[in-house]
Coordinates of all heavy atoms in Angstrom, one line a residue:
M161 N -18.1 -33.8 -91.6 CA -17.7 -34.5 -90.4 C -16.2 -34.8 -90.4 O -15.6 -35.1 -91.5 CB -18.4 -35.9 -90.3 CG -19.8 -35.8 -90.2 SD -20.4 -37.5 -89.6 CE -21.9 -37.0 -88.8
A162 N -15.7 -34.6 -89.2 CA -14.2 -34.9 -89.0 C -14.1 -36.5 -88.8 O -15.0 -37.2 -88.2 CB -13.6 -34.2 -87.8
T163 N -13.0 -36.9 -89.3 CA -12.6 -38.4 -89.1 C -11.6 -38.6 -88.1 O -10.4 -37.9 -88.1 CB -12.1 -38.9 -90.3 OG1 -13.2 -38.8 -91.4 CG2 -11.8 -40.4 -90.3
V164 N -11.9 -39.3 -87.1 CA -11.0 -39.4 -85.9 C -10.3 -40.8 -86.0 O -10.9 -41.9 -86.3 CB -11.8 -39.4 -84.4 CG1 -10.8 -39.5 -83.4 CG2 -12.6 -38.2 -84.4
H165 N -9.0 -40.8 -85.8 CA -8.1 -42.0 -85.8 C -7.5 -42.0 -84.4 O -6.9 -41.1 -84.0 CB -7.0 -41.9 -86.9 CG -7.6 -41.8 -88.2 ND1 -8.0 -42.9 -89.0 CD2 -7.8 -40.6 -88.9 CE1 -8.5 -42.4 -90.2 NE2 -8.4 -41.1 -90.2
L166 N -7.5 -43.2 -83.8 CA -6.9 -43.5 -82.5 C -5.9 -44.6 -82.7 O -6.0 -45.6 -83.4 CB -8.0 -44.0 -81.6 CG -9.2 -43.0 -81.3 CD1 -10.3 -43.7 -80.4 CD2 -8.7 -41.8 -80.6
P167 N -4.9 -44.6 -81.8 CA -3.9 -45.6 -81.8 C -4.5 -46.9 -81.1 O -5.5 -46.9 -80.5 CB -2.8 -45.1 -81.0 CG -3.4 -44.1 -80.0 CD -4.6 -43.6 -80.8
P168 N -3.9 -48.0 -81.4 CA -4.4 -49.2 -80.7 C -4.6 -49.3 -79.2 O -5.6 -49.8 -78.9 CB -3.3 -50.4 -81.2 CG -2.7 -49.8 -82.5 CD -2.7 -48.3 -82.2
S169 N -3.9 -48.5 -78.6 CA -4.0 -48.5 -77.1 C -5.3 -47.9 -76.7 O -5.9 -48.3 -75.7 CB -2.8 -47.8 -76.3 OG -2.9 -46.5 -76.9
L170 N -5.9 -46.8 -77.5 CA -7.1 -46.3 -77.2 C -8.2 -47.1 -78.0 O -9.3 -47.3 -77.4 CB -7.2 -44.8 -77.5 CG -6.2 -44.0 -76.7 CD1 -6.2 -42.5 -77.3 CD2 -6.6 -44.1 -75.3
R171 N -7.9 -47.5 -79.2 CA -8.9 -48.2 -79.9 C -9.4 -49.4 -79.3 O -10.7 -49.7 -79.4 CB -8.3 -48.6 -81.3 CG -9.3 -48.8 -82.4 CD -8.6 -49.0 -83.8 NE -7.5 -48.2 -84.0 CZ -6.5 -48.6 -84.7 NH1 -6.2 -50.0 -84.9 NH2 -5.3 -47.9 -84.8
Q172 N -8.6 -50.1 -78.6 CA -9.1 -51.4 -77.9 C -10.1 -51.1 -76.9 O -10.9 -51.9 -76.4 CB -8.0 -52.2 -77.2 CG -7.3 -51.3 -76.1 CD -6.1 -52.2 -75.6 OE1 -5.6 -53.2 -76.1 NE2 -5.5 -51.5 -74.6
L173 N -10.2 -49.7 -76.3 CA -11.1 -49.4 -75.3 C -12.5 -49.2 -75.8 O -13.5 -49.1 -75.0 CB -10.7 -48.1 -74.6 CG -9.4 -48.2 -73.9 CD1 -9.0 -46.8 -73.3 CD2 -9.5 -49.2 -72.6
I174 N -12.6 -49.1 -77.1 CA -13.8 -48.7 -77.9 C -14.3 -49.9 -78.8 O -15.0 -49.6 -79.7 CB -13.8 -47.3 -78.5 CG1 -12.8 -47.3 -79.6 CG2 -13.6 -46.2 -77.4 CD1 -12.9 -46.1 -80.5
G175 N -13.9 -51.0 -78.5 CA -14.1 -52.2 -79.5 C -13.6 -52.1 -80.8 O -14.0 -52.6 -81.7
N176 N -12.4 -51.5 -80.9 CA -11.7 -51.4 -82.1 C -12.4 -50.6 -83.1 O -12.1 -50.8 -84.4 CB -11.2 -52.8 -82.6 CG -10.2 -53.2 -81.7 OD1 -9.2 -52.6 -81.4 ND2 -10.3 -54.6 -81.2
A177 N -13.4 -49.8 -82.9 CA -14.0 -49.0 -84.0 C -13.0 -48.0 -84.4 O -12.4 -47.3 -83.8 CB -15.3 -48.2 -83.3
E178 N -13.0 -47.9 -85.7 CA -12.1 -47.1 -86.5 C -12.5 -47.1 -88.0 O -12.6 -48.1 -88.5 CB -10.6 -47.7 -86.2 CG -9.6 -47.0 -87.1 CD -8.9 -45.7 -86.5 OE1 -9.3 -45.2 -85.4 OE2 -8.2 -45.1 -87.1
P179 N -12.4 -45.9 -88.6 CA -12.3 -44.7 -88.0 C -13.7 -44.3 -87.5 O -14.7 -44.8 -87.8 CB -11.9 -43.8 -89.2 CG -12.4 -44.5 -90.3 CD -12.5 -45.9 -90.1
I180 N -13.6 -43.1 -86.8 CA -14.9 -42.5 -86.2 C -15.2 -41.2 -86.8 O -14.4 -40.3 -86.8 CB -14.7 -42.4 -84.6 CG1 -14.3 -43.8 -84.0 CG2 -16.0 -41.8 -84.0 CD1 -13.6 -43.6 -82.7
S181 N -16.4 -41.0 -87.2 CA -16.8 -39.7 -87.8 C -17.7 -39.0 -86.8 O -18.6 -39.5 -86.2 CB -17.7 -40.0 -89.1 OG -16.9 -40.6 -90.0
I182 N -17.2 -37.7 -86.5 CA -18.0 -36.9 -85.6 C -18.1 -35.5 -86.3 O -17.2 -35.0 -86.8 CB -17.2 -36.7 -84.3 CG1 -17.1 -38.1 -83.6 CG2 -17.7 -35.7 -83.4 CD1 -16.5 -38.2 -82.3
Q183 N -19.3 -34.9 -86.1 CA -19.6 -33.4 -86.6 C -19.3 -32.7 -85.4 O -20.1 -32.7 -84.3 CB -21.0 -33.3 -87.0 CG -21.5 -32.0 -87.5 CD -20.6 -31.8 -88.8 OE1 -20.7 -32.7 -89.7 NE2 -20.1 -30.5 -89.0
A184 N -18.2 -31.8 -85.3 CA -18.0 -30.9 -84.2 C -17.4 -29.6 -84.7 O -16.7 -29.6 -85.8 CB -17.0 -31.6 -83.3
G185 N -17.6 -28.6 -84.0 CA -17.1 -27.2 -84.5 C -15.6 -27.0 -84.1 O -14.9 -26.3 -84.7
D186 N -15.1 -27.7 -83.0 CA -13.8 -27.5 -82.7 C -13.3 -28.9 -81.9 O -14.1 -29.7 -81.6 CB -13.5 -26.4 -81.8 CG -14.3 -26.3 -80.4 OD1 -14.7 -27.5 -80.0 OD2 -14.4 -25.3 -79.9
V187 N -12.0 -28.9 -81.6 CA -11.4 -30.2 -81.0 C -12.0 -30.5 -79.7 O -12.4 -31.5 -79.4 CB -10.0 -29.9 -80.9 CG1 -9.4 -31.2 -80.4 CG2 -9.3 -29.9 -82.4
R188 N -12.4 -29.4 -78.9 CA -13.0 -29.6 -77.5 C -14.3 -30.3 -77.7 O -14.6 -31.2 -77.0 CB -13.2 -28.3 -76.8 CG -13.6 -28.4 -75.5 CD -13.8 -27.1 -74.7 NE -12.7 -26.3 -74.7 CZ -11.6 -26.5 -73.9 NH1 -11.6 -27.4 -73.1 NH2 -10.6 -25.7 -74.0
D189 N -15.1 -29.8 -78.6 CA -16.5 -30.4 -78.9 C -16.2 -31.9 -79.4 O -17.0 -32.8 -79.0 CB -17.2 -29.5 -79.9 CG -18.6 -30.1 -80.1 OD1 -19.3 -30.7 -79.2 OD2 -19.1 -29.9 -81.3
L190 N -15.3 -32.1 -80.3 CA -15.0 -33.4 -80.7 C -14.7 -34.4 -79.6 O -15.1 -35.5 -79.5 CB -13.9 -33.4 -81.8 CG -13.5 -34.8 -82.4 CD1 -13.4 -34.6 -83.9 CD2 -12.3 -35.4 -81.8
V191 N -13.8 -34.0 -78.7 CA -13.3 -34.8 -77.5 C -14.6 -35.2 -76.7 O -14.8 -36.2 -76.3 CB -12.2 -34.2 -76.8 CG1 -11.9 -35.0 -75.5 CG2 -11.0 -34.1 -77.7
A192 N -15.4 -34.1 -76.5 CA -16.6 -34.4 -75.7 C -17.6 -35.3 -76.3 O -18.1 -36.2 -75.5 CB -17.3 -33.0 -75.5
Q193 N -17.8 -35.1 -77.5 CA -18.6 -36.1 -78.2 C -18.1 -37.6 -78.2 O -18.8 -38.6 -78.1 CB -18.9 -35.7 -79.6 CG -19.9 -34.4 -79.7 CD -20.2 -34.1 -81.0 OE1 -20.8 -35.1 -81.8 NE2 -20.1 -32.9 -81.5
L194 N -16.8 -37.7 -78.4 CA -16.0 -39.0 -78.4 C -16.2 -39.6 -77.0 O -16.5 -40.9 -77.1 CB -14.6 -38.7 -78.8 CG -13.8 -39.9 -79.1 CD1 -14.4 -40.7 -80.3 CD2 -12.3 -39.5 -79.2
T195 N -16.0 -38.8 -76.0 CA -16.0 -39.6 -74.6 C -17.4 -39.8 -74.3 O -17.7 -40.7 -73.6 CB -15.3 -38.6 -73.5 OG1 -15.8 -37.4 -73.6 CG2 -13.8 -38.6 -73.9
A196 N -18.4 -39.1 -74.8 CA -19.8 -39.3 -74.5 C -20.3 -40.6 -75.2 O -21.0 -41.4 -74.7 CB -20.8 -38.1 -75.0
R197 N -19.8 -40.7 -76.5 CA -20.1 -41.9 -77.2 C -19.4 -43.2 -76.7 O -19.8 -44.3 -76.7 CB -19.7 -41.8 -78.6 CG -20.2 -42.7 -79.6 CD -19.7 -42.6 -81.0 NE -20.2 -41.3 -81.6 CZ -20.0 -41.0 -82.9 NH1 -19.2 -41.6 -83.7 NH2 -20.4 -39.9 -83.4
Y198 N -18.2 -43.0 -76.3 CA -17.3 -44.1 -75.8 C -16.7 -43.7 -74.3 O -15.7 -43.2 -74.2 CB -16.2 -44.3 -76.7 CG -16.5 -44.7 -78.1 CD1 -16.4 -43.7 -79.1 CD2 -17.0 -46.1 -78.3 CE1 -16.7 -44.0 -80.4 CE2 -17.5 -46.3 -79.7 CZ -17.3 -45.3 -80.8 OH -17.7 -45.6 -82.0
P199 N -17.6 -44.0 -73.4 CA -17.2 -43.6 -71.9 C -15.8 -44.2 -71.4 O -15.2 -43.6 -70.6 CB -18.3 -44.1 -71.0 CG -19.5 -44.2 -72.0 CD -18.8 -44.6 -73.4
A200 N -15.4 -45.3 -71.9 CA -14.1 -45.8 -71.6 C -12.9 -44.9 -72.0 O -11.9 -45.2 -71.3 CB -13.9 -47.1 -72.3
L201 N -13.2 -44.0 -72.8 CA -12.2 -43.0 -73.1 C -12.1 -41.7 -72.1 O -11.1 -41.0 -72.1 CB -12.3 -42.4 -74.5 CG -12.2 -43.4 -75.6 CD1 -12.4 -42.7 -76.9 CD2 -10.7 -43.9 -75.6
S202 N -13.1 -41.7 -71.3 CA -13.2 -40.6 -70.2 C -12.0 -40.7 -69.4 O -11.4 -41.8 -68.9 CB -14.4 -40.7 -69.4 OG -15.5 -40.5 -70.1
G203 N -11.3 -39.4 -69.2 CA -10.0 -39.4 -68.4 C -8.7 -39.7 -69.2 O -7.7 -39.5 -68.7
R204 N -8.9 -40.2 -70.4 CA -7.7 -40.7 -71.1 C -7.1 -39.6 -72.0 O -6.0 -39.5 -72.3 CB -8.1 -41.8 -72.1 CG -8.5 -43.0 -71.4 CD -7.5 -43.8 -70.7 NE -8.0 -45.0 -70.0 CZ -7.3 -46.1 -69.9 NH1 -6.1 -46.1 -70.3 NH2 -7.8 -47.1 -69.3
V205 N -8.0 -38.7 -72.5 CA -7.6 -37.6 -73.3 C -7.6 -36.3 -72.7 O -6.6 -35.5 -72.7 CB -8.7 -37.4 -74.6 CG1 -8.2 -36.4 -75.5 CG2 -8.6 -38.8 -75.3
T206 N -8.6 -36.0 -71.8 CA -8.6 -34.8 -70.9 C -8.8 -35.2 -69.5 O -9.2 -36.3 -69.2 CB -9.7 -33.9 -71.3 OG1 -11.1 -34.7 -71.2 CG2 -9.6 -33.3 -72.8
D207 N -8.5 -34.4 -68.6 CA -8.7 -34.6 -67.2 C -10.0 -34.2 -66.9 O -10.8 -33.9 -67.7 CB -7.4 -33.9 -66.3 CG -7.6 -32.4 -66.3 OD1 -8.6 -31.8 -66.8 OD2 -6.6 -31.8 -66.0
E208 N -10.2 -34.4 -65.5 CA -11.6 -34.0 -64.9 C -12.0 -32.5 -65.2 O -13.2 -32.2 -65.0 CB -11.8 -34.4 -63.4 CG -10.7 -33.7 -62.6 CD -9.3 -34.2 -62.5 OE1 -9.0 -35.2 -63.1 OE2 -8.5 -33.5 -62.0
R209 N -11.1 -31.6 -65.4 CA -11.4 -30.3 -65.5 C -11.7 -29.9 -67.1 O -11.9 -28.9 -67.4 CB -10.2 -29.3 -65.0 CG -10.3 -29.5 -63.6 CD -8.9 -28.8 -63.1 NE -7.8 -29.5 -63.6 CZ -6.6 -29.0 -64.0 NH1 -6.4 -27.7 -63.8 NH2 -5.6 -29.7 -64.4
G210 N -11.4 -30.9 -67.9 CA -11.6 -30.7 -69.4 C -10.3 -30.2 -70.1 O -10.4 -29.9 -71.2
V211 N -9.3 -30.3 -69.3 CA -7.9 -29.9 -69.8 C -7.2 -31.1 -70.5 O -7.3 -32.2 -70.0 CB -7.0 -29.3 -68.7 CG1 -5.7 -29.0 -69.2 CG2 -7.8 -28.1 -68.0
L212 N -6.6 -30.8 -71.7 CA -5.9 -31.9 -72.4 C -4.8 -32.4 -71.5 O -4.0 -31.6 -70.9 CB -5.2 -31.3 -73.7 CG -4.8 -32.2 -74.6 CD1 -5.8 -33.1 -75.2 CD2 -4.1 -31.5 -75.8
R213 N -4.7 -33.7 -71.3 CA -3.7 -34.2 -70.5 C -2.3 -34.1 -71.1 O -2.1 -34.0 -72.3 CB -4.0 -35.8 -70.4 CG -5.2 -36.2 -69.7 CD -5.0 -37.6 -69.0 NE -6.1 -37.8 -68.2 CZ -6.0 -37.6 -66.9 NH1 -5.0 -37.0 -66.4 NH2 -7.1 -37.8 -66.0
Q214 N -1.3 -33.8 -70.4 CA 0.0 -33.5 -70.6 C 0.6 -34.5 -71.8 O 1.3 -34.1 -72.6 CB 0.9 -33.3 -69.5 CG 2.2 -33.0 -69.8 CD 3.0 -32.7 -68.4 OE1 2.7 -33.1 -67.4 NE2 4.4 -32.3 -68.6
H215 N 0.4 -35.7 -71.5 CA 0.9 -36.7 -72.4 C 0.2 -37.0 -73.7 O 0.6 -37.8 -74.4 CB 1.1 -38.0 -71.6 CG -0.2 -38.6 -71.2 ND1 -1.0 -38.1 -70.1 CD2 -1.0 -39.6 -71.8 CE1 -2.1 -38.9 -70.0 NE2 -2.1 -39.8 -71.0
V216 N -0.9 -36.2 -73.9 CA -1.7 -36.4 -75.2 C -1.5 -35.4 -76.2 O -1.4 -34.2 -75.8 CB -3.2 -36.6 -74.7 CG1 -4.1 -36.6 -76.0 CG2 -3.5 -37.8 -73.7
K217 N -1.3 -35.8 -77.5 CA -1.1 -34.9 -78.6 C -2.3 -35.0 -79.5 O -2.7 -36.1 -79.7 CB 0.1 -35.1 -79.2 CG 1.5 -34.9 -78.4 CD 1.5 -33.5 -77.9 CE 2.9 -33.4 -77.0 NZ 2.7 -32.4 -76.0
I218 N -2.8 -34.0 -80.0 CA -3.8 -34.1 -81.1 C -3.4 -33.4 -82.3 O -2.9 -32.2 -82.2 CB -5.2 -33.5 -80.5 CG1 -5.6 -34.2 -79.2 CG2 -6.2 -33.3 -81.6 CD1 -7.0 -33.6 -78.6
F219 N -3.5 -34.1 -83.4 CA -3.2 -33.5 -84.7 C -4.4 -33.4 -85.6 O -5.2 -34.4 -85.7 CB -2.2 -34.4 -85.4 CG -0.9 -34.5 -84.6 CD1 -0.6 -35.5 -83.6 CD2 0.2 -33.6 -84.9 CE1 0.5 -35.5 -82.9 CE2 1.4 -33.6 -84.2 CZ 1.6 -34.6 -83.2
V220 N -4.6 -32.3 -86.2 CA -5.5 -32.1 -87.2 C -4.8 -31.9 -88.6 O -4.1 -31.0 -88.7 CB -6.4 -30.8 -86.8 CG1 -7.5 -30.6 -87.9 CG2 -7.2 -31.1 -85.4
N221 N -5.2 -32.7 -89.4 CA -4.5 -32.6 -90.7 C -3.0 -32.7 -90.7 O -2.3 -31.9 -91.3 CB -5.0 -31.7 -91.6 CG -6.6 -31.6 -91.8 OD1 -7.1 -32.8 -91.9 ND2 -7.2 -30.6 -91.7
A222 N -2.5 -33.5 -89.8 CA -1.0 -33.7 -89.6 C -0.3 -32.4 -88.8 O 1.0 -32.3 -88.8 CB -0.3 -34.0 -90.8
E223 N -1.2 -31.5 -88.2 CA -0.6 -30.3 -87.7 C -1.0 -30.5 -86.2 O -2.2 -30.6 -85.8 CB -1.1 -29.1 -88.2 CG -0.5 -28.9 -89.7 CD -0.7 -27.4 -90.2 OE1 -1.0 -26.5 -89.4 OE2 -0.7 -27.3 -91.5
L224 N 0.0 -30.1 -85.3 CA -0.4 -30.2 -83.8 C -1.4 -29.2 -83.6 O -1.4 -28.1 -84.0 CB 0.9 -29.8 -83.0 CG 0.8 -30.0 -81.4 CD1 0.5 -31.4 -81.0 CD2 2.1 -29.6 -80.9
A225 N -2.5 -29.6 -82.8 CA -3.6 -28.9 -82.4 C -3.8 -28.9 -81.0 O -3.5 -29.7 -80.3 CB -4.8 -29.3 -83.2
G226 N -4.7 -27.9 -80.6 CA -5.1 -27.7 -79.1 C -6.7 -27.9 -79.1 O -7.3 -28.0 -80.2
L227 N -7.3 -27.8 -78.0 CA -8.7 -28.1 -77.9 C -9.6 -26.9 -78.6 O -10.6 -27.1 -79.0 CB -9.0 -28.2 -76.5 CG -8.6 -29.4 -75.7 CD1 -9.0 -29.4 -74.2 CD2 -9.1 -30.6 -76.3
E228 N -8.9 -25.8 -78.8 CA -9.6 -24.6 -79.2 C -9.6 -24.6 -80.8 O -10.3 -23.8 -81.5 CB -9.0 -23.3 -78.8 CG -8.7 -23.2 -77.3 CD -7.5 -24.0 -76.8 OE1 -6.6 -24.3 -77.5 OE2 -7.6 -24.4 -75.5
N229 N -8.9 -25.5 -81.3 CA -8.7 -25.5 -82.8 C -10.1 -25.8 -83.5 O -10.7 -26.8 -83.1 CB -7.7 -26.6 -83.4 CG -6.3 -26.0 -83.2 OD1 -5.8 -26.0 -82.2 ND2 -5.7 -25.5 -84.3
D230 N -10.5 -25.0 -84.5 CA -11.7 -25.2 -85.2 C -11.5 -26.5 -86.1 O -10.3 -26.7 -86.5 CB -11.9 -24.1 -86.2 CG -12.3 -22.8 -85.4 OD1 -13.0 -23.0 -84.3 OD2 -12.2 -21.7 -85.9
L231 N -12.6 -27.1 -86.3 CA -12.7 -28.2 -87.2 C -13.5 -27.9 -88.4 O -14.5 -27.1 -88.4 CB -13.1 -29.4 -86.6 CG -12.2 -30.1 -85.5 CD1 -13.0 -31.2 -84.7 CD2 -11.0 -30.5 -86.0
H232 N -13.2 -28.6 -89.6 CA -14.0 -28.3 -90.9 C -14.3 -29.8 -91.4 O -13.7 -30.7 -91.0 CB -13.1 -27.5 -91.8 CG -12.6 -26.2 -91.2 ND1 -13.5 -25.2 -91.0 CD2 -11.4 -25.9 -90.7 CE1 -12.8 -24.1 -90.4 NE2 -11.5 -24.6 -90.3
E233 N -15.3 -29.7 -92.4 CA -15.5 -30.9 -93.1 C -14.2 -31.6 -93.6 O -13.3 -31.0 -94.0 CB -16.3 -30.7 -94.3 CG -17.8 -30.5 -93.9 CD -18.6 -31.7 -93.3 OE1 -18.6 -32.8 -94.0 OE2 -19.3 -31.5 -92.3
K234 N -14.3 -32.9 -93.5 CA -13.2 -33.8 -94.0 C -11.8 -33.6 -93.1 O -10.8 -34.1 -93.7 CB -13.0 -33.6 -95.5 CG -14.3 -33.8 -96.3 CD -14.0 -33.9 -97.7 CE -15.4 -34.0 -98.3 NZ -15.7 -35.1 -99.1
D235 N -11.8 -33.0 -92.2 CA -10.6 -32.8 -91.3 C -10.2 -34.2 -90.9 O -11.1 -35.1 -90.5 CB -10.6 -32.0 -90.2 CG -10.5 -30.6 -90.5 OD1 -10.0 -30.2 -91.7 OD2 -10.7 -29.5 -89.7
E236 N -9.0 -34.6 -90.7 CA -8.5 -35.8 -90.2 C -7.9 -35.5 -88.8 O -6.9 -34.7 -88.7 CB -7.5 -36.4 -91.1 CG -8.0 -36.9 -92.4 CD -8.8 -38.2 -92.4 OE1 -8.4 -39.0 -91.6 OE2 -9.6 -38.3 -93.2
V237 N -8.4 -36.1 -87.7 CA -7.9 -35.9 -86.4 C -7.3 -37.2 -85.8 O -7.8 -38.2 -86.0 CB -9.1 -35.5 -85.6 CG1 -8.6 -35.2 -84.0 CG2 -9.9 -34.2 -86.0
R238 N -6.1 -37.1 -85.3 CA -5.4 -38.1 -84.7 C -5.2 -37.8 -83.2 O -4.6 -36.7 -83.0 CB -4.2 -38.4 -85.4 CG -4.4 -38.9 -86.8 CD -3.2 -39.3 -87.5 NE -3.5 -39.7 -88.9 CZ -4.1 -40.7 -89.4 NH1 -4.4 -41.7 -88.5 NH2 -4.2 -40.9 -90.7
I239 N -5.5 -38.6 -82.2 CA -5.3 -38.5 -80.9 C -4.2 -39.5 -80.5 O -4.4 -40.7 -80.6 CB -6.6 -38.6 -80.2 CG1 -7.6 -37.6 -80.6 CG2 -6.3 -38.5 -78.7 CD1 -9.0 -37.9 -80.0
L240 N -3.1 -38.9 -80.0 CA -1.9 -39.9 -79.7 C -1.5 -39.7 -78.4 O -0.9 -38.6 -78.0 CB -0.8 -39.6 -80.7 CG -1.2 -39.8 -82.1 CD1 -0.1 -39.3 -83.2 CD2 -1.5 -41.2 -82.5
P241 N -1.6 -40.6 -77.4 CA -1.0 -40.5 -76.2 C 0.4 -40.8 -76.2 O 0.9 -41.6 -77.1 CB -1.7 -41.6 -75.3 CG -2.2 -42.5 -76.3 CD -2.5 -41.8 -77.6
S242 N 1.3 -40.1 -75.5 CA 2.6 -40.5 -75.5 C 3.1 -41.9 -75.0 O 2.3 -42.4 -74.1 CB 3.6 -39.4 -74.7 OG 3.5 -38.2 -75.3
I243 N 4.0 -42.6 -75.5 CA 4.4 -43.7 -75.0 C 5.7 -43.5 -74.1 O 6.6 -42.8 -74.6 CB 4.9 -44.6 -76.2 CG1 3.8 -44.8 -77.2 CG2 5.3 -46.0 -75.7 CD1 2.7 -45.6 -76.7
S244 N 5.7 -44.1 -72.9 CA 6.8 -43.9 -72.1 C 7.2 -45.2 -71.5 O 6.7 -46.3 -71.6 CB 6.5 -42.9 -71.0 OG 5.5 -43.4 -70.1
G245 N 8.4 -45.2 -71.0 CA 9.0 -46.4 -70.3 C 10.5 -46.5 -70.6 O 11.1 -45.5 -71.0
G246 N 11.0 -47.5 -70.5 CA 12.5 -47.7 -70.6 C 13.0 -48.2 -69.3 O 12.5 -48.5 -68.3
N247 N 14.4 -48.1 -69.3 CA 15.1 -48.5 -68.2 C 15.4 -47.4 -67.2 O 15.7 -46.3 -67.4 CB 16.4 -49.2 -68.5 CG 16.2 -50.3 -69.4 OD1 15.1 -51.0 -69.2 ND2 17.1 -50.7 -70.3

């Protein structure tokens, strides 16, 4: 199972559950299972077409990944939305 880590901004939407273990073949499947388990995340990681949102980055074992990346046992997945703001 892959282990998913979310930043506080997303973790608060799922009752601060962390880390989350998910059995998935690739990142797309992992995101689908994650949003099925936690509907509050719907639309936060991918858009309505299932495309990764522009401001979201996914890392598998500290390497930038896309939805097509395969997952293996004991992979560490981090989903990070960009922080914006300023003057």
Side-chain angles (χ1 to χ4, degrees):
M161 289 195 160
T163 302
V164 182
H165 301 278
L166 300 172
S169 62
L170 294 179
R171 203 175 319 137
Q172 69 184 358
L173 297 173
I174 61 169
N176 293 312
E178 169 85 3
I180 303 159
S181 296
I182 295 182
Q183 183 71 42
D186 61 21
V187 174
R188 183 179 309 279
D189 185 31
L190 179 136
V191 170
Q193 289 186 51
L194 188 64
T195 56
R197 190 182 298 179
Y198 302 104
L201 291 176
S202 292
R204 302 284 182 147
V205 179
T206 57
D207 65 17
E208 61 281 348
R209 297 169 294 147
V211 176
L212 189 63
R213 290 204 172 275
Q214 182 179 4
H215 64 278
V216 174
K217 301 295 183 208
I218 298 178
F219 295 86
V220 176
N221 301 324
E223 292 189 24
L224 188 60
L227 295 174
E228 307 78 26
N229 282 80
D230 290 334
L231 292 175
H232 306 285
E233 280 296 310
K234 302 191 190 242
D235 277 348
E236 297 282 326
V237 179
R238 296 186 187 282
I239 300 175
L240 302 171
S242 295
I243 306 288
S244 63
N247 297 335

